[in-house]
Amino acid sequence: MESNELQGPASACTGKAPKEATGIKGFDEVLMGGVPKGAMTLLVGGPGTGKTMFGLEFLVRGAVNGGPGILLTFEERKDALRRYASSFGWDVKALEEQGRLSLISARIKPDAVFSGDFDLQGLLGILENKIAEMKAENIVIDAPDVLLRLLGDEARERGEFHLLHEWILDSGLTAMVTVKANAGARTFRHHEFLEYMADCVVHLDQRVSEQVVTRRLRVVKYRGSSYGRNEYPFGITGRGLWIIPVTQADLQHRAFGESITSGVKDLDALISGGYRRNSCTLITGASGTGKTTFACSYCRAITSLHEKVLYLDFEESWDALASCMLSPGLDMNAALDTGHLKFISSMPESQGIEEHLIQAFKAIEDFQPRHLILDAISACRRMGSKHSAFDYLLRLVTHCKKQGITVLLTNLSSPSPREGEITGLDLSSIIDTVILLRNVETDRGYERKLVILKSRGRSHSNMIHDFRITSHGVKVIEREASDDGS
């Protein structure tokens, strides 16, 4: 296992509530530090929502960081858990051999015959011996409801869950307990009282919108602590779970930096020297107005300065883009060959917003770009809904602005967009510069027009300018100033 991939839990304390960091990407941010230390966290979710993976990753990262842990499962086989872990690059077998992790499977065989009463006392006794042997600090109890529903008596089930909760508190272990939610229900059958017992309760679900599946997480309660109260998309990646939070009430965007070229010299003159570092620019227009040409002009100019650009494309493949850009004299392959450009092309409807966000965040983390281009935000609606598109773009641009990454977006709009419909997604608060491109029909044919609708914090031309796309790039045609000097 690589140490940089498995940053394990570490004790944290916020106010009066001691916490244990889980090491799960984004989860500790939502929990404002981690799960309650020495108490029970309850994970509630239907099939496929990732309950067992949350528990397994918490234990693995804890074990790597020196906190031994035990996973007691009533549903999974030990060899299956080891397989799951290996798919994320975690060597569970090595941790078991080192005495830092123990997997205990208490699955009930399908052909088992029950006679007489049973309870958890004997199993808890076995656990106590294992805890003492390992000096365990963390425990995950996966699907105890599978066993206890065999009691066939709601009162006895409640009694056993109460016993389990008291045992966790007495043991001093930091515990995660997973239970199933009924399909379509917000909580699990007969055991709503467990939510009152637990110090922290997390609901997991997956839903389908416009034939696109997304996973969501919501913290229902956290006794004695603040926490992120919204729903958060999350995904299961090759590195483990990844939650994508926007939890801060305060904006943490970096201040604008110096001017940088747009890649179109004539456009730079119209916006006081070009785009601003750490800003977000939107180029919007109907089909065929030249949005991608402007975006690629920026990309080519920036990469020629040996700065990295991450290009996310939801409309064209690399071969199609590179071929089309040869006409205006833009050799995009040269940018790719130098290693300063990373291009990712994907179909918006191929996955939910959490997978798209994780794909972008992983690329940012690995590639460390100073600039990001997204072509086009209008295609993001195909991720499931208008709200999904807004959620994706808000989180992505906010993340970039916190990282000091300059963002350029393109948008396919109607031929004559009305005021307030420039993006169609109510994103004006995070967009600093808006450039509108149009094809205007005249008696001589179609003419291309450009207008700068806004450029936050700086002067800019307010005139409508003609421009052309030539074999040597974009040329803006100069116009005489108006009477007011603009």
Side-chain angles (χ1 to χ4, degrees):
M1 283 180 275
E2 299 180 10
S3 58
N4 63 331
E5 287 295 327
L6 284 173
Q7 296 297 319
S11 295
C13 184
T14 304
K16 296 181 180 179
K19 297 187 176 185
E20 185 79 13
T22 65
I24 297 172
K25 206 163 187 71
F27 193 35
D28 295 327
E29 185 178 338
V30 172
L31 298 175
M32 307 294 184
V35 295
K37 187 175 179 64
M40 184 176 83
T41 296
L42 185 68
L43 300 178
V44 184
T49 53
K51 301 183 298 298
T52 303
M53 295 314 305
F54 268 88
L56 183 59
E57 183 165 356
F58 167 59
L59 289 179
V60 168
R61 294 190 183 277
V64 168
N65 200 48
I70 297 172
L71 191 150
L72 170 64
T73 178
F74 294 94
E75 198 167 42
E76 301 283 355
R77 295 175 182 267
K78 288 194 286 186
D79 56 350
L81 292 171
R82 294 185 187 113
R83 272 200 317 276
Y84 301 155
S86 66
S87 67
F88 302 117
W90 308 335
D91 191 350
V92 165
K93 191 69 175 175
L95 292 174
E96 290 179 282
E97 291 171 353
Q98 295 163 12
R100 290 191 280 172
L101 182 64
S102 177
L103 304 180
I104 302 174
S105 178
R107 294 174 65 249
I108 305 298
K109 294 182 179 180
D111 58 351
V113 177
F114 295 92
S115 62
D117 295 332
F118 71 94
D119 57 33
L120 293 176
Q121 287 286 6
L123 186 57
L124 296 180
I126 295 171
L127 281 177
E128 288 172 359
N129 291 333
K130 194 66 178 176
I131 291 165
E133 175 191 329
M134 296 177 59
K135 295 183 173 55
E137 298 176 9
N138 305 313
I139 188 168
V140 171
I141 302 175
D142 183 41
D145 47 321
V146 171
L147 172 68
L148 295 181
R149 72 163 59 106
L150 298 175
L151 291 169
D153 184 303
E154 184 177 341
R156 290 187 61 198
E157 287 182 55
R158 287 173 177 260
E160 292 300 304
F161 272 120
H162 183 75
L163 171 67
L164 179 61
H165 179 245
E166 290 299 310
W167 178 84
I168 289 170
L169 295 180
D170 291 341
S171 70
L173 297 173
T174 301
M176 280 190 183
V177 177
T178 77
V179 291
K180 291 181 175 57
N182 287 342
R186 295 176 65 86
T187 55
F188 45 95
R189 175 182 175 270
H190 298 320
H191 308 310
E192 292 88 347
F193 69 97
L194 257 185
E195 295 199 357
Y196 293 97
M197 287 184 183
D199 283 71
C200 179
V201 179
V202 181
H203 284 185
L204 310 174
D205 76 357
Q206 57 180 343
R207 62 194 68 160
V208 180
S209 176
E210 299 293 330
Q211 301 181 10
V212 178
V213 178
T214 60
R215 288 186 173 95
R216 298 280 175 160
L217 171 152
R218 183 169 71 92
V219 181
V220 176
K221 67 176 273 192
Y222 197 144
R223 190 172 287 139
S225 173
S226 298
Y227 57 90
R229 297 177 180 273
N230 296 329
E231 280 194 326
Y232 302 100
F234 74 94
I236 300 175
T237 77
R239 303 177 186 179
L241 292 153
W242 198 320
I243 293 88
I244 306 153
V246 175
T247 54
Q248 294 88 357
D250 58 320
L251 295 175
Q252 299 180 345
H253 301 166
R254 294 192 186 181
F256 293 153
E258 74 275 13
S259 296
I260 51 176
T261 181
S262 67
V264 178
K265 183 179 179 181
D266 300 330
L267 176 59
D268 291 348
L270 302 180
I271 49 177
S272 301
Y275 304 146
R276 297 284 296 276
R277 287 197 187 275
N278 310 332
S279 70
C280 178
T281 298
L282 173 70
I283 299 176
T284 187
S287 179
T289 51
K291 302 179 297 298
T292 299
T293 304
F294 274 85
C296 287
S297 298
Y298 171 61
C299 177
R300 191 67 191 92
I302 292 299
T303 54
S304 68
L305 298 174
H306 308 295
E307 295 190 19
K308 291 184 178 181
V309 177
L310 174 62
Y311 197 124
L312 305 179
D313 200 312
F314 290 125
E315 296 193 326
E316 290 190 279
S317 68
W318 171 255
D319 289 342
L321 179 74
S323 175
C324 288
M325 288 302 107
L326 291 175
S327 177
L330 298 171
D331 183 3
M332 299 301 291
N333 282 306
L336 197 67
D337 293 343
T338 63
H340 292 101
L341 172 63
K342 183 177 181 65
F343 183 86
I344 299 176
S345 176
S346 55
M347 295 285 288
E349 52 270 89
S350 64
Q351 52 194 3
I353 69 163
E354 72 278 12
E355 281 91 357
H356 280 295
L357 280 169
I358 289 168
Q359 182 182 56
F361 285 7
K362 284 172 64 178
I364 290 171
E365 187 176 274
D366 295 341
F367 188 58
Q368 294 291 304
R370 297 195 66 185
H371 308 266
L372 181 141
I373 297 172
L374 194 158
D375 186 13
I377 67 173
S378 45
C380 295
R381 291 193 184 201
R382 287 152 52 195
M383 292 179 186
S385 65
K386 179 179 178 180
H387 177 75
S388 295
F390 173 83
D391 203 8
Y392 170 80
L393 293 165
L394 175 65
R395 292 170 192 271
L396 179 59
V397 174
T398 297
H399 182 74
C400 288
K401 286 194 169 189
K402 286 172 62 178
Q403 300 289 325
I405 297 171
T406 306
V407 179
L408 176 66
L409 310 173
T410 72
N411 177 59
L412 176 63
S413 64
S414 60
S416 299
R418 293 178 295 177
E419 185 177 358
E421 292 184 349
I422 298 303
T423 69
L425 295 169
D426 302 321
L427 289 167
S428 60
S429 63
I430 61 171
I431 294 173
D432 305 300
T433 298
V434 177
I435 300 170
L436 174 62
L437 309 179
R438 287 181 177 173
N439 284 330
V440 178
E441 186 176 3
T442 69
D443 56 359
R444 295 172 296 178
Y446 281 98
E447 295 182 357
R448 288 189 165 100
K449 306 287 183 179
L450 174 155
V451 61
I452 301 164
L453 296 184
K454 78 170 186 178
S455 188
R456 188 173 285 152
R458 66 188 346 191
S459 62
H460 60 87
S461 170
N462 62 1
M463 299 180 66
I464 298 175
H465 297 268
D466 296 321
F467 74 94
R468 294 173 186 156
I469 299 176
T470 74
S471 59
H472 299 288
V474 178
K475 304 293 182 183
V476 179
I477 300 171
E478 291 187 10
R479 299 189 62 178
E480 293 182 1
S482 59
D483 292 340
D484 62 2
S486 59

